[in-house]
Every structure is written in C-alpha cells, then in structure tokens.
Amino acid sequence: PRARPPPPNQAPGPARRLEGAPPAARRAHAPPPRRPDLDPRPPHTPERAPRSSPPSPQVVASLTRTPLKSPLAQCLLIRFAKKVMEDEAKEAGDRDRALFDFLEASLRHKSDMVIYEAASAICSLSNVTQRELSPAVTVLQLFLCSPKPCLRFSAVRTLNKVAMAHPLAVTPCNMDMEGLINDSNRSIATLAITTLLKTGSESGVERLMKQIT
C-alpha cells in the first residue's frame, strides 16, 4: 500500500530537514559529545540506584529479637550485626555480647545458608578468641561431611582462613579434612591439603605427604 503523505500543515521532522543539507549543517545540529570527566559512567549504562546505608545499631538490636521467616533476611541481619559489632569494637574496644549471642543462636537455624553465614561471621570477627570460635568450627566440621559439594567447599575454605590465625582451633577437624584429600572436586581437595599443612603435627604432615604421593 502507498504511504500517505503528511498533512500540509505539519512541518517535517529534523531528520527530513537535514536530508539534503551539507555535512557542516549536519554537524551543527548533532547532539553535543559526551564528557567523560563530567559523567564517569560508561556509555549505555543505566542509572544506578543509590546505595542504602546500613541500619542503626538500635534497629539491628531490635531486629535480632524478632524472628524472621526469610532465610535471606536472616543472612542480611547477620551481616548487619557483624558490622555493628566491628564498629563498636573499634570505638569502645568491646563487642556487644547480645549481638554475639544472636550469631551463636543462628548456628542452630534450620537453613544451611543461615548457619554458614553465622559461622562465617563469627570466624571473621577481629580479635576473636578460640573459645568464641569453638561453636562455629564445630558447625563447619559437620559441613565437611555433607553430601553437598557447595557446603564442603564453603566449610573448608572458611577453616582454611581460620587456620592462618588460630590453627589450634581447627585441629579437631583434621580427621574430617583428611577424608577430603581425594575429593572429586579439586578445589576442595587443594584447600583441605593446605589447611592440613597449617594445622597438622610433624607426624601428621608426613602421613599426609605419603597419601598425596
């Protein structure tokens, strides 16, 4: 079908007006170039949402006394509680005991995701003692025998980090980590070997080298 011409009283668009114009006129009507110094975002990037600030310590403390149904919300609350504890330790030199009790209570949650988040938060606290690490290490030791590779990898990776500062706290997990040396996942096996080298005794390291060779 033939295209209908525009009404006589309608002005042509800018593209039609510049069809036969010389290049100089086209450049004059082109949009201004982008200024990278004024707009650091790469081109064609959507607007980013502003980053929300964490809730206040009073809000975090009140939420820890309220049971949450969503495991994801519980994990986020654990991260907020850890941040509040770290900030208070920097300012006052002492952590909030109620928030630490909340992290320990989260170790008994029914969701593996929440349990690991709480154990990881306890293990990553600054100036944490071996006694405070004990319940988190016990939970991670159970994850070492899990049939899920993601849980085994998460547990052995966290224990590998703990062994750098507290090797004696990870020593009770040596027998379970020896069973991961021949794991089908090579990342798990490598982390298990490096952790055993940090925590094992001289005789244990010698036995480990015989197993590897």
Side-chain angles (χ1 to χ4, degrees):
R2 296 179 57 186
R4 290 188 298 175
N9 57 349
Q10 183 177 353
R16 293 184 62 86
R17 288 201 303 265
L18 296 175
E19 278 183 358
R26 295 191 179 196
R27 287 194 296 270
H29 288 80
R34 180 175 169 270
R35 293 283 302 275
D37 54 339
L38 299 180
D39 187 9
R41 293 183 295 107
H44 311 296
T45 301
E47 292 291 338
R48 296 178 181 175
R51 182 177 295 180
S52 58
S53 58
S56 63
Q58 293 80 8
V59 174
V60 174
S62 63
L63 288 174
T64 56
R65 295 188 292 268
T66 305
L68 301 177
K69 295 182 179 180
S70 172
L72 293 175
Q74 187 82 1
C75 290
L76 188 60
L77 183 57
I78 290 172
R79 296 184 183 184
F80 285 152
K82 176 183 174 294
K83 187 178 186 310
V84 170
M85 293 171 66
E86 293 286 358
D87 294 342
E88 289 182 352
K90 291 179 182 178
E91 296 175 0
D94 193 14
R95 292 193 297 264
D96 190 342
R97 187 63 198 180
L99 292 180
F100 188 83
D101 292 340
F102 164 72
L103 295 182
E104 282 192 335
S106 299
L107 295 174
R108 297 183 290 273
H109 199 273
K110 60 182 180 180
S111 172
D112 292 337
M113 176 172 55
V114 176
I115 295 174
Y116 172 74
E117 189 69 35
S120 177
I122 293 175
C123 293
S124 60
L125 286 173
S126 58
N127 301 325
V128 65
T129 63
Q130 186 171 342
R131 178 180 174 276
E132 293 172 336
L133 282 173
S134 180
V137 171
T138 302
V139 168
L140 294 174
Q141 184 178 5
L142 296 176
F143 282 177
L144 292 176
C145 305
S146 172
K148 300 178 181 178
C150 60
L151 290 181
R152 297 199 305 272
F153 175 78
S154 302
V156 72
R157 184 183 63 172
T158 305
L159 292 173
N160 184 277
K161 295 178 181 178
V162 175
M164 296 180 184
H166 302 276
L168 294 178
V170 188
T171 303
C173 307
N174 284 358
M175 292 298 296
D176 296 291
M177 277 189 288
E178 286 184 7
L180 299 178
I181 294 176
N182 299 320
D183 195 276
S184 58
N185 189 315
R186 297 312 303 166
S187 299
I188 297 176
T190 303
L191 285 171
I193 293 171
T194 54
T195 307
L196 287 170
L197 291 175
K198 298 173 186 176
T199 61
S201 59
E202 184 178 354
S203 59
V205 171
E206 185 178 356
R207 185 177 69 255
L208 175 64
M209 297 305 296
K210 289 182 180 179
Q211 283 184 314
I212 294 174
T213 55

